[in-house]
């Protein structure tokens, strides 16, 4: 996959506040995946986006893929302490299973 | 229960002592891979396997070997471990676009 930059690296929010992490590429991406890794745990697949401008929702999580397919975002509404962890974006080349991960955004939620 | 298992979960070893980390999946997935995770560097792919007897290098293959003699197993071999291979290792298997990760193996090489 293509190299992707994730920002911010860290984010501390008060419980109930919203949170957004961004994943950016200098080149067009075939797809973007998002994973969550809880402290001490392993990455868990959340979703894959493949279409330009695609928006998907999972309860309080909203995932977007940019129109140019060069960026993506994950937005969490009204964070809870269960949202704590590191969120990674990843992508693979067209027709490939080989994933390249961003460095992740570590979310802390202050109760 | 569908799962990826890794053993051992924790290992402390000395430089140069050959070791193997096992990985097994019960989901009949063809594609499996190994990653290492280091602070500030995220997850980096070491090796991957498209199917039995088909393996290829990922982004950081130096110092590692793999084999895929059966579909369910994909062991990671460190022939002569060095301290820079101290890391958290994850095995994963893939169905479609979704990767299922094992629980991780924390390796320390002194």
């Amino acid at each position: 996959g293509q190299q992707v930059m994730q920002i911010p690296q860290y984010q501390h929010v008060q419980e109930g506040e919203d949170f957004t992490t961004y994943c950016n590429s200098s080149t067009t991406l075939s797809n973007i995946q998002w994973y969550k890794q809880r402290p001490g745990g392993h990455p868990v697949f959340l979703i894959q986006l493949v279409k330009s401008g695609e928006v998907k929702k999972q309860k309080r999580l909203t995932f977007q893929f940019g129109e140019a397919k060069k960026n993506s975002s994950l937005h969490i509404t009204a964070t809870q302490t269960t949202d704590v962890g590191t969120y990674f974006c990843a992508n693979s080349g067209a027709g490939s299973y080989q994933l390249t991960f961003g460095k992740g955004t570590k979310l802390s939620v202050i109760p | 229960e569908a799962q990826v298992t890794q053993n051992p979960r924790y290992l402390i070893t000395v430089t140069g002592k050959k070791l193997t980390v096992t990985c097994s999946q019960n989901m009949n997935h063809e594609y499996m891979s190994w990653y290492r995770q280091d602070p500030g560097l995220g997850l980096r792919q070491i090796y991957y396997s498209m199917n039995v007897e088909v393996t290829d290098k990922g982004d950081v293959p130096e110092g590692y070997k793999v084999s895929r003699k059966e579909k369910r197993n994909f062991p990671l071999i460190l022939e002569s471990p060095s301290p820079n291979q101290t890391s958290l290792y994850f095995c994963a298997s893939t169905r479609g676009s979704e990767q299922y990760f094992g629980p991780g193996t924390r390796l320390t090489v002194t």
Side-chain angles (χ1 to χ4, degrees):
Chain A
Q2 302 296 321
Q3 292 293 325
V4 288
M5 291 287 294
Q6 254 188 281
I7 54 172
Q9 191 175 358
Y10 302 95
Q11 184 83 58
H12 304 275
V13 299
Q14 202 76 35
E15 188 172 17
E17 291 181 340
D18 292 356
F19 159 77
T20 304
T21 174
Y22 301 89
C23 186
N24 300 311
S25 171
S26 59
T27 58
T28 302
L29 302 170
S30 299
N31 55 72
I32 198 82
Q33 297 184 8
W34 287 95
Y35 290 79
K36 176 183 178 182
Q37 184 177 20
R38 287 199 163 98
H42 58 275
V44 174
F45 175 84
L46 295 176
I47 209 159
Q48 173 168 280
L49 307 173
V50 297
K51 297 178 183 176
S52 168
E54 190 169 11
V55 178
K56 289 188 177 179
K57 294 189 176 185
Q58 291 178 352
K59 297 183 181 178
R60 294 179 295 105
L61 277 60
T62 302
F63 305 85
Q64 294 191 27
F65 202 9
E67 293 289 342
K69 299 182 72 173
K70 290 185 176 181
N71 54 69
S72 180
S73 65
L74 158 58
H75 179 83
I76 302 178
T77 302
T79 54
Q80 301 174 358
T81 54
T82 53
D83 296 323
V84 164
T86 301
Y87 293 84
F88 293 96
C89 65
N91 76 98
S92 61
S96 169
Y97 288 117
Q98 193 174 0
L99 275 183
T100 300
F101 282 80
K103 294 183 179 179
T105 296
K106 187 173 182 179
L107 172 64
S108 299
V109 178
I110 305 162
Chain B
E1 179 190 354
Q3 59 181 352
V4 178
T5 56
Q6 293 179 228
N7 282 292
R9 295 289 314 280
Y10 303 90
L11 179 61
I12 300 174
T13 189
V14 296
T15 299
K17 187 177 181 181
K18 181 179 178 180
L19 67 92
T20 299
V21 184
T22 64
C23 173
S24 183
Q25 51 98 0
N26 62 0
M27 295 168 280
N28 202 37
H29 292 165
E30 292 182 347
Y31 186 91
M32 298 183 73
S33 53
W34 276 102
Y35 296 87
R36 62 177 289 173
Q37 185 173 33
D38 302 288
L41 297 177
L43 286 147
R44 295 179 293 167
Q45 192 177 55
I46 304 170
Y47 267 95
Y48 63 97
S49 170
M50 298 291 289
N51 211 328
V52 174
E53 302 293 0
V54 181
T55 64
D56 207 347
K57 296 177 181 179
D59 297 319
V60 288
E62 294 77 22
Y64 304 94
K65 285 176 57 177
V66 292
S67 70
R68 188 91 182 272
K69 293 181 169 48
E70 309 166 274
K71 187 182 265 191
R72 64 182 292 125
N73 296 322
F74 189 42
L76 179 69
I77 303 154
L78 285 73
E79 295 268 0
S80 183
S82 63
N84 64 14
Q85 292 179 298
T86 291
S87 187
L88 177 59
Y89 291 87
F90 289 103
C91 178
S93 71
T94 300
R95 179 191 69 187
S97 59
E98 186 169 348
Q99 292 225 357
Y100 295 81
F101 284 83
T105 295
R106 187 166 292 281
L107 172 66
T108 302
V109 184
T110 61

